[in-house]
Amino acid sequence: MPCLLSRGPGAGGIDEGFRCSLGTRDNSPKQSIDILNIVSRRPSAAQRPHQMYASSLANGLRLLASFSMEAPAMSNGELATRSGLSPASVTRLTYTLGELGYLRYDAAERRYRLGAATMTVGYPLLASLGVRQVAGPLMQALARKVRATVSLALRERTHMVYVETYRGHDGVAFRPEVGGRMPIWATAAGRAWLAGAEAAHGEIGRGPDPPPACGGVDAPPCSGRRHAGLTRAPAFALHTASGPDIRAIAVPMQHPIAGETLVFNCGVPMRQLSAAALESEVGPRLIELVRTVERACASEVAG
Amino acid sequence: MIELEARHQGDKQFARTLARGLALLGCFTPGEPMLRNKDFVQRTALDKVTVSRLTYTLVELGYLRRDAAGGGYRLGAAVLCLGYPLLASMTLRQKLRPAIREFAETVRGSVGMSLRDRMRMVYFEVVRAEHPSAPPLDVGASFPIVSSATGRAWLAVAPATERDGALNLTKVHEPALYAERIDDVRQARRRFADDGYCTSPGTQRADRLAVAVPMRGPINAETVVVTALVTVRGRSIDTLQRRLGTRLVDLVRRLEASLAAP
């Protein structure tokens, strides 16, 4: 099976030959549609009111999601401007989120910061992914060996979210963290997910259209290439813009875990390794890691 | 859920639907990663219609996802993104990581940094030695304040209002745990004054030892605690505790010094 290579941040779309070569097992049309719908869903649900839709819940979550590295502390006024909600609604929501530990008032700055409940709430998801424990030592060893960052990611609608990450260096560049997100269309992990989800769920045509920011459907396609000695390996995706000056390569797991296709990702500083070296040196190691993890997961289920 | 709403009864500022939606997310545990509508109904005492409306909204937003095979819901990856800015804004982690890693490798254990979430302490940074005996520890994992070394270390230095707040929450939500632990907590505070570290009460796993030291001075307005967790094998726990405690105090003082340096 070929590997998936994409060149440059503008590249979008999956190579035709590559897509045709993927096997279809567990072929469920319903799931295929699901992938297509979820990934390409653009207008936020909040813009499409529905009688079932609990808007105060959605608005509260939207306020939480508007915090970022750049804006880690915000006043009610700033939150109102950012969200477009009325100051009265924002006050009510921040008060409630504060009561529940999702926000906390920083009296010195007179602003809200995220509360620790935002970290606790995701823990059951992390802890239920047994594959993290299985893969941890292998990821750490690989990270050290190739002086890279090795991560495991899960899809969140249009993004891939890190659920585990190991660094083989203590440098400052490219520090993915659990909960960090990267767009599906612009990263190796996202492309590997698309490939893996297709393989697991069946043909989904051309897949969802990439957003215009990624070059649109007319962008140069990824080049599918046959990789000597990797005939049993699924596609891996290589990308040059997974972070500042980072080249990344990613391999999807062959079978979904709890209904999701997980992706292993390895990011290396560009000046440390050429694309060719990443493909020939790191690629096979990452594939081997994923196959080992798959075998361990399978035997755990069987045993 | 009922307690929470009772506390806010007649409080017009309290957004009930938001609280209820977040309560659904809070129903999951590591042992129960998949829940059905009826599980939510049982756990929150909300009616079926309300639960369906909330799960519908949470699925739309990616905080829950349907598990077709299991006929229920799982947490969606969006829940992991909620805490990311908090995690990422704790930039001290990067600066401190090499020293913490060296320490973890030396004691063949795991070292975590945590902060308070209501009546629990939650880890936002974890470094685990590359050694099979280093106990597993995860970012996001949390432990009750009154019954963990980490929580006791936090109680020892937290501002009085926060400390009382955490103890009151425990008293209201976990009355049995509170009653069982409160004397112990007071003793631990006295010992902290002498030792500079806190240890886990003997009720936890006998083969694990946790020692915790609070950092002096808040970070992003939070009181941060550093905890070392090791596996105990055939050695006198008292000696091990003293040795690990002294070393951890030394590490934390060095961490503080490196944060103070430009």
Side-chain angles (χ1 to χ4, degrees), chain A residues 99-116:
Chain A
E99 287 289 297
L100 301 170
Y102 284 82
L103 286 182
R104 143 185 97 74
Y105 191 67
D106 185 337
E109 288 205 33
R110 302 174 68 186
R111 279 176 170 73
Y112 281 102
R113 287 176 177 276
L114 287 174

Side-chain angles (χ1 to χ4, degrees), chain A residues 203-224:
Chain A
E203 185 62 51
I204 57 166
R206 275 192 67 87
D209 292 343
C214 292
V217 283
D218 296 330
C222 313
S223 59

Side-chain angles (χ1 to χ4, degrees), chain A residues 165-220:
Chain A
T165 168
Y166 286 93
R167 295 168 201 84
H169 54 84
D170 278 311
V172 280
F174 192 45
R175 296 194 156 276
E177 304 278 4
V178 168
R181 307 197 310 164
M182 46 195 165
I184 283 183
W185 279 105
T187 54
R191 285 148 189 247
W193 178 82
L194 286 167
E198 272 187 308
H201 297 302
E203 185 62 51
I204 57 166
R206 275 192 67 87
D209 292 343
C214 292
V217 283
D218 296 330

Side-chain angles (χ1 to χ4, degrees), chain B residues 95 254-262:
Chain B
K95 197 166 179 188
R254 279 188 288 128
L255 298 180
E256 286 161 356
S258 78
L259 285 180

